[in-house]
């Protein structure tokens, strides 16, 4: 039985995005887990601000799954009254940006399926490159889809394979034989919590423990928030099954040789929270190191180094530490505006950038400013921020970017658009500098990426066009509408 309570409202989204944040929990002592899932999702809010959801089940009760999801932020979708009504000792949660599939209530996760073996709930972070093909196969065998997201393809295959196998983890393993691309999965069955990570390790997933409760989460920052101890990362290609009877059981049959792994480099540059650790690497230290390399490779005389909040701040500090130029606060960020909000209309005088950021005139007026940002995608945001600093009185604005230029799209869960929409496509650095209006411009050198993640194998496809697996021939990043 599935209980659903939902509402709907519209929103717009923009900019560089990533799909999504996942969280799973199993309290072996039988306590209600919904409040803890809520706080875990709050910690992962930066990974997805379009929609969110929680599904909980009672492993010792009537096998009822309570599911609530909607458009909006975690603290908007979940009230104390809703959380108090969600009883169960096992649960999963999700925060979402849309990459494949439109931003609608129907596409919110977790996805909950009622089938012969009971109820299955799935939360997915990533993007499948063969989802359209698999979707068509399922449709021609009688499947009726309720969403336009590739996560539903995964859920269907797990449910179908579960009818032929003895355990849910075997079903997940067989589904992994079919799906290709980026995925970190959290799956809730009536008596088990399952975590799975794609063989390349594009997206992160870790395991934590608090008393007699086990947790799966996209990032370690979620474990810190709920007072849980970090146990370890789920390895690329690994399936973990968590239950009171067996504890944590691991299946590494899908793991690849280490040199073939391909973590998304942007987890370290931009997506993840600075206080997270991923596969043993500190996100904060990666960004500090990127800033230091920028100072070493692209120095310039200046009076002040500032970061574009939030992900540019640590890189700016690294630049300052290496160069000796003072680090300061150049912008005030509106903390009550997320990455998703109602964008001003074209006819309006308000800018979506100025709604979120304001330059600190007292800090930058009359100064030669080095401004550090994590990336330049289309260039429209960068040119507005440079202009804001000049209008605040900055004598010079030197832009440094803590990633190489985007030259190719991403098919693995990052919303990097087609090449023609990328400002770096068919343009030199000097061309880009003129467009955004900076006095100088420099990017992180490609060869520095390996150093900022301590030699961990990673994907550089968006910078080089060389992907760890063959990209699709059709555009998979939109919805699957016929």
């Amino acid at each position: 039985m599935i209980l659903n309570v939902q509402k709907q409202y519209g929103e717009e989204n923009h900019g560089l995005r990533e799909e999504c944040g996942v969280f799973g929990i199993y309290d072996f002592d039988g306590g209600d887990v919904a409040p803890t899932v809520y706080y875990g999702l709050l910690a992962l809010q930066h990974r997805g601000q379009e929609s969110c959801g929680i599904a909980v089940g009672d492993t010792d009760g009537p096998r009822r799954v309570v599911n609530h999801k909607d458009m909006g932020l975690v603290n908007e979708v979940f009230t104390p009254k809703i959380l108090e009504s969600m009883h169960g000792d096992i649960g999963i949660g999700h925060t979402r940006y849309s990459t494949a599939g439109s931003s609608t209530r129907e596409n919110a996760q977790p996805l909950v399926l009622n089938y012969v073996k009971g109820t299955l709930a799935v939360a997915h972070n990533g993007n499948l490159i063969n989802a359209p093909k698999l979707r068509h196969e399922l449709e021609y065998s009688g499947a009726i889809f309720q969403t336009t997201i590739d996560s539903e393809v995964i859920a269907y295959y797990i449910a179908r394979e579960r009818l032929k196998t003895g355990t849910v983890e075997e079903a997940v393993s067989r589904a992994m034989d079919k799906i290709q691309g980026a995925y970190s999965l959290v799956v809730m069955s009536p008596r088990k919590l399952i975590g799975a990570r794609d063989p390349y390790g594009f997206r992160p997933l870790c395991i934590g423990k608090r008393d007699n409760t086990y947790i799966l989460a996209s990032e370690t920052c979620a474990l810190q928030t709920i007072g849980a101890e970090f146990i370890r990362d789920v390895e690329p290609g690994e399936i973990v099954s968590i239950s009171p009877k067996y504890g944590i059981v691991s299946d590494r049959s899908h793991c690849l040789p280490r040199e073939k792994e391909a973590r998304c480099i942007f987890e370290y540059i931009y997506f993840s929270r600075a206080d997270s650790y991923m596969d043993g690497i500190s996100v904060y230290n990666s960004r500090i190191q990127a800033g230091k390399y920028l100072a070493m490779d692209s120095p310039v005389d200046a009076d002040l180094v500032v970061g574009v909040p939030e992900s540019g701040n640590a890189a700016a500090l690294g630049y300052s530490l290496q160069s000796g130029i003072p680090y300061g606060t150049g912008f005030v960020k509106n903390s009550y505006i997320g990455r998703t909000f109602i964008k001003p209309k074209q006819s309006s005088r308000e800018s979506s950038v100025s709604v979120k950021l304001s330059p600190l005139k007292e800090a930058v007026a009359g100064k030669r400013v080095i401004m550090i940002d994590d990336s330049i995608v289309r260039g429209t945001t960068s040119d507005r921020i440079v202009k804001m600093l000049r209008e605040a009185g900055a004598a010079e604005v030197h832009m440094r970017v803590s990633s190489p230029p985007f030259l190719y799209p991403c098919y693995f869960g990052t919303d990097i658009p087609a090449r023609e929409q990328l400002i770096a496509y068919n343009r030199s650095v000097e061309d880009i500098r003129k467009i955004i209006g900076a006095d100088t411009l420099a990017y992180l050198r490609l060869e520095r990426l390996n150093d900022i993640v301590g030699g961990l194998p990673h994907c550089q496809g968006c910078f080089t066009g060389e992907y760890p697996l063959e990209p699709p021939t059709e555009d998979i990043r939109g919805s699957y509408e016929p």
Side-chain angles (χ1 to χ4, degrees):
M1 180 179 179
I2 306 170
L3 302 183
N4 254 317
V5 185
Q6 305 185 93
K7 65 187 181 70
Q8 184 176 11
Y9 66 88
E11 64 171 338
E12 295 187 49
N13 54 71
H14 64 99
L16 188 63
R17 298 172 295 157
E18 191 268 343
E19 180 192 9
C20 308
V22 297
F23 188 91
I25 186 169
Y26 194 165
D27 185 346
F28 291 177
D29 292 332
D32 285 335
V33 298
T36 304
V37 180
Y38 170 83
Y39 288 112
L41 293 184
L42 281 177
L44 298 172
Q45 185 74 87
H46 60 285
R47 296 186 70 86
Q49 298 182 349
E50 290 182 355
S51 64
C52 62
I54 295 174
V56 297
D58 186 353
T59 61
D60 197 34
R63 300 292 182 269
R64 184 179 70 169
V65 171
V66 181
N67 179 35
H68 180 78
K69 55 186 179 179
D70 210 337
M71 305 299 294
L73 303 176
V74 175
N75 64 350
E76 296 169 338
V77 171
F78 291 96
T79 64
K81 185 176 180 180
I82 290 171
L83 290 172
E84 287 166 8
S85 70
M86 301 183 76
H87 299 292
D89 57 352
I90 186 170
I92 64 174
H94 191 270
T95 62
R96 180 174 191 263
Y97 274 139
S98 63
T99 51
S102 57
S103 178
T104 65
R105 181 188 61 187
E106 290 73 22
N107 286 343
Q109 296 187 46
L111 298 177
V112 182
L113 300 181
N114 221 353
Y115 73 124
V116 174
K117 291 282 187 177
T119 305
L120 189 75
V122 177
H124 166 221
N125 168 210
N127 222 40
L128 302 185
I129 61 173
N130 65 337
K133 176 177 178 290
L134 295 179
R135 188 182 184 92
H136 293 148
E137 288 178 4
L138 287 167
E139 286 173 337
Y140 278 99
S141 65
I144 299 173
F145 285 87
Q146 306 298 317
T147 77
T148 60
I149 57 176
D150 51 6
S151 309
E152 192 173 11
V153 171
I154 299 173
Y156 265 125
Y157 268 110
I158 294 173
R160 288 200 169 192
E161 294 299 328
R162 179 64 183 91
L163 300 179
K164 310 170 191 175
T165 61
T167 65
V168 65
E169 51 266 44
E170 288 180 61
V172 172
S173 180
R174 289 196 182 187
M176 286 174 65
D177 290 335
K178 298 178 182 293
I179 61 179
Q180 298 173 9
Y183 54 89
S184 280
L185 302 175
V186 177
V187 180
M188 182 179 75
S189 75
R191 291 177 182 270
K192 289 178 183 174
L193 181 66
I194 310 292
R197 195 172 173 193
D198 73 75
Y200 298 93
F202 283 108
R203 300 296 157 209
L205 191 64
C206 65
I207 308 169
K209 185 176 186 289
R210 186 183 69 186
D211 301 324
N212 209 23
T213 299
Y214 287 84
I215 299 104
L216 293 168
S218 288
E219 295 185 36
T220 58
C221 65
L223 302 179
Q224 297 166 14
T225 296
I226 63 169
E229 167 196 0
F230 169 76
I231 297 178
R232 66 176 179 87
D233 292 285
V234 176
E235 295 177 15
E238 185 184 14
I239 302 168
V240 294
S241 172
I242 300 173
S243 65
K245 186 175 181 180
Y246 299 109
I248 300 174
V249 178
S250 172
D251 173 3
R252 291 180 169 85
S253 60
H254 288 82
C255 294
L256 296 173
R258 180 179 170 83
E259 63 271 14
K260 290 190 176 182
E261 295 172 355
R263 295 157 184 83
C264 176
I265 192 66
F266 249 76
E267 290 287 354
Y268 299 91
I269 294 171
Y270 172 73
F271 297 133
S272 301
R273 223 169 74 171
D275 56 337
S276 287
Y277 283 76
M278 291 184 171
D279 292 317
I281 300 297
S282 161
V283 173
Y284 177 76
N285 285 343
S286 291
R287 294 174 186 171
I288 290 283
Q289 199 61 46
K292 287 184 176 182
Y293 285 135
L294 279 171
M296 292 164 60
D297 299 337
S298 306
V300 63
D301 288 333
D303 306 305
L304 183 70
V305 184
V306 303
V308 177
E310 297 288 336
S311 51
N313 289 341
L317 178 57
Y319 194 105
S320 172
L321 291 171
Q322 182 66 35
S323 66
I325 299 170
Y327 169 80
T329 301
F331 300 94
V332 175
K333 183 180 180 183
N334 187 340
S335 300
Y336 300 96
I337 298 288
R339 291 181 189 170
T340 302
F341 62 100
I342 300 172
K343 290 171 63 180
K345 294 181 179 178
Q346 206 65 32
S347 58
S348 172
R349 294 174 63 92
E350 290 83 15
S351 157
S352 60
V353 177
S354 59
V355 169
K356 289 184 174 185
L357 289 178
S358 295
L360 196 56
K361 294 182 180 181
E362 290 77 5
V364 303
K367 303 279 182 64
R368 296 170 298 170
V369 178
I370 299 171
M371 181 184 79
I372 312 287
D373 205 354
D374 56 77
S375 60
I376 304 178
V377 186
R378 294 174 176 85
T380 52
T381 299
S382 298
D383 95 312
R384 289 171 186 164
I385 297 176
V386 170
K387 185 179 180 182
M388 285 165 54
L389 285 176
R390 292 201 186 281
E391 290 176 346
E396 297 174 5
V397 180
H398 303 275
M399 186 164 185
R400 298 293 180 267
V401 185
S402 59
S403 65
F406 283 132
L407 296 173
Y408 298 89
C410 175
Y411 301 98
F412 307 109
T414 305
D415 188 35
I416 297 172
R419 295 191 74 184
E420 295 73 21
Q421 299 178 47
L422 297 170
I423 192 172
Y425 177 60
N426 277 343
R427 290 189 179 94
S428 68
V429 173
E430 176 61 16
D431 291 337
I432 301 168
R433 182 200 67 77
K434 290 177 181 177
I435 291 171
I436 66 174
D439 290 283
T440 65
L441 170 65
Y443 290 85
L444 186 71
R445 285 164 45 186
L446 187 67
E447 58 266 29
R448 294 298 196 182
L449 293 178
N450 193 57
D451 296 329
I452 70 171
V453 292
L456 275 179
H458 58 274
C459 177
Q460 301 182 359
C462 52
F463 307 130
T464 66
E466 297 176 5
Y467 303 100
L469 66 166
E470 195 67 31
T473 54
E474 59 182 309
D475 191 353
I476 59 157
R477 292 167 297 139
S479 64
Y480 304 127
E481 308 271 332

